[in-house]
Amino acid sequence: MKILKTYTYLFLFTCFGAHAQDNINELLAAGKADTQRFAESYIAPASDGLIYAISNGWFNNAKSLRRLGFEISVVGNASFVDDDKASFKMNASDYENIRFEDNSPTKNVATVFGNSNTQKVILTYDDPVFGNQEIEVSLPGGIGSSASSFIPTAFLQASFSPLKGTQIKARFIPKLNFNDARLNAFGIGVQQNLLSWLPGNKVLPVAVSGVVAYTNLKSEYDFNTTDVVKGNNQQMTLDAKSMLYQLVVGTKLKIINFYGALGYVSGSTTTNLLGTYRIVNGGVSSDEIVNPISIKNKISGMRTTLGANLKLGFFGINADYTFADFNTASVGINIGF
């Protein structure tokens, strides 16, 4: 359940939820364009980091399973967040209805991974009765705790070798529910030992494999019951997809093996704030707003992995570290025959 809470509140609700409940009303009153623009920058590091996090842990060795062999693994990943992703430069000129109190052209403000301090801004909104009005509001702060230093993911994973040197892989997170939140994930991949059909392959000191894998994570949060904003059918949804292409080289020892990999990851996220919203709070009111946010984000980048695998009989454990835009540590516990 801790993993579900982390996913949900980090990638869905923290944008305008948990610690931002007091200012969601006013921020939405700035209009859909300004709200969307701010949200894109605010959650961008979380969206990017999630793609790297769900892409990890697809392999634990360069060697192949024996033909008709199988392996079941529990894989845990932690993608680390650098300090430079804790804030973004907000240009007041990019916003129609938001400006800084001191009329500064730009300021660094917190992303979802930033500190909990909030930035005061002046918001202009269209009151249905009095026309254009101004009010001082606070932009959402960040998580501002040790939880913001990494993005965790975990999967149950299975691998089967129907042919010599070929492994078919699948991973999933069963559908989890926590209060009004839901999360599930699945993935499929293939790992092929590129040297398996070469004559004399068994005497070669190394194995070389190619890995191609796809992962999809979906999460949603219904917050009609929170009374954050008046309205109907209020929900935030997240759909994250990633593709991994990896070349893995490793030793072929019986008990302990070392491996290194060079690869490429690409992916996308779609985050939506759905439903109808009527802002009525602290003297601010607005007409009904429908589906105010839809954010699509794409990333791609190279990655390098170094790791080791220890196998004792049918039991194994592996650990590796991946260097990328979001460095990621992975640990796996494996049972195979």
Side-chain angles (χ1 to χ4, degrees):
M1 289 305 175
K2 184 176 181 181
I3 292 173
L4 176 60
K5 288 178 69 177
T6 300
Y7 281 137
T8 302
Y9 287 94
L10 182 57
F11 302 112
L12 301 180
F13 196 41
T14 48
C15 185
F16 295 110
H19 59 281
Q21 290 187 19
D22 293 336
N23 44 34
I24 179 175
N25 283 279
E26 294 88 348
L27 191 57
L28 282 172
K32 294 175 67 170
D34 280 1
T35 303
Q36 166 109 5
R37 187 172 291 110
F38 177 82
E40 286 174 351
S41 299
Y42 182 75
I43 70 171
S47 299
D48 294 351
L50 180 60
I51 295 173
Y52 283 95
I54 65 174
S55 300
N56 244 51
W58 271 108
F59 54 90
N60 57 43
N61 214 319
K63 295 196 305 180
S64 303
L65 297 174
R66 63 177 178 82
R67 185 172 181 273
L68 301 182
F70 69 90
E71 183 178 76
I72 297 176
S73 306
V74 176
V75 180
N77 305 314
S79 290
F80 301 104
V81 181
D82 294 336
D83 291 342
D84 62 358
K85 296 176 175 66
S87 66
F88 72 95
K89 182 174 287 187
M90 181 175 174
N91 296 308
S93 60
D94 293 336
Y95 295 82
E96 297 177 8
N97 300 311
I98 299 175
R99 62 180 175 84
F100 295 112
E101 290 179 292
D102 58 3
N103 290 317
S104 296
T106 63
K107 282 190 178 182
N108 287 327
V109 302
T111 67
V112 66
F113 291 125
N115 59 46
S116 57
N117 296 331
T118 58
Q119 172 68 51
K120 298 286 188 180
V121 295
I122 303 299
L123 183 149
T124 303
Y125 66 97
D126 184 18
D127 187 276
V129 177
F130 301 104
N132 281 349
Q133 301 291 312
E134 287 191 345
I135 189 172
E136 180 185 274
V137 301
S138 297
L139 297 175
I143 296 171
S145 70
S146 59
S148 64
S149 61
F150 66 94
I151 303 170
T153 56
F155 298 93
L156 183 63
Q157 192 161 294
S159 182
F160 174 67
S161 180
L163 303 170
K164 181 181 179 181
T166 303
Q167 297 180 64
I168 304 299
K169 298 171 178 276
R171 59 166 39 171
F172 74 101
I173 300 174
K175 193 162 189 176
L176 302 175
N177 293 276
F178 181 83
N179 294 336
D180 295 319
R182 292 166 296 279
L183 168 75
N184 69 287
F186 70 92
I188 188 167
V190 60
Q191 180 170 345
Q192 176 64 51
N193 186 336
L194 303 178
L195 305 181
S196 60
W197 289 295
L198 292 181
N201 169 59
K202 292 185 178 180
V203 302
L204 295 175
V206 297
V208 179
S209 293
V211 178
V212 178
Y214 168 82
T215 306
N216 180 220
L217 180 145
K218 295 179 181 290
S219 184
E220 56 189 44
Y221 183 84
D222 298 324
F223 54 95
N224 286 303
T225 59
T226 63
D227 239 2
V228 176
V229 185
K230 301 297 182 183
N232 298 295
N233 303 317
Q234 296 171 352
Q235 183 184 66
M236 294 195 78
T237 65
L238 170 72
D239 186 2
K241 302 173 183 178
S242 78
M243 283 296 304
L244 174 69
Y245 308 90
Q246 200 88 24
L247 183 67
V248 190
V249 179
T251 59
K252 296 169 57 177
L253 305 175
K254 288 186 176 181
I255 297 178
I256 186 168
N257 283 283
F258 301 94
Y259 56 91
L262 179 65
Y264 178 83
V265 63
S266 64
S268 64
T269 60
T270 302
T271 306
N272 293 313
L273 179 62
L274 305 175
T276 61
Y277 301 80
R278 183 171 179 82
I279 316 305
V280 182
N281 187 53
V284 179
S285 62
S286 77
D287 294 328
E288 190 172 80
I289 303 171
V290 180
N291 299 340
I293 297 176
S294 180
I295 301 171
K296 298 182 185 296
N297 189 45
K298 294 183 178 181
I299 67 100
S300 61
M302 301 296 295
R303 41 175 275 157
T304 303
T305 301
L306 298 174
N309 181 306
L310 175 67
K311 189 169 181 63
L312 300 172
F314 62 85
F315 175 81
I317 185 170
N318 72 284
D320 59 48
Y321 194 87
T322 297
F323 301 89
D325 190 29
F326 285 78
N327 294 342
T328 304
S330 294
V331 175
I333 299 174
N334 320 296
I335 297 176
F337 297 93

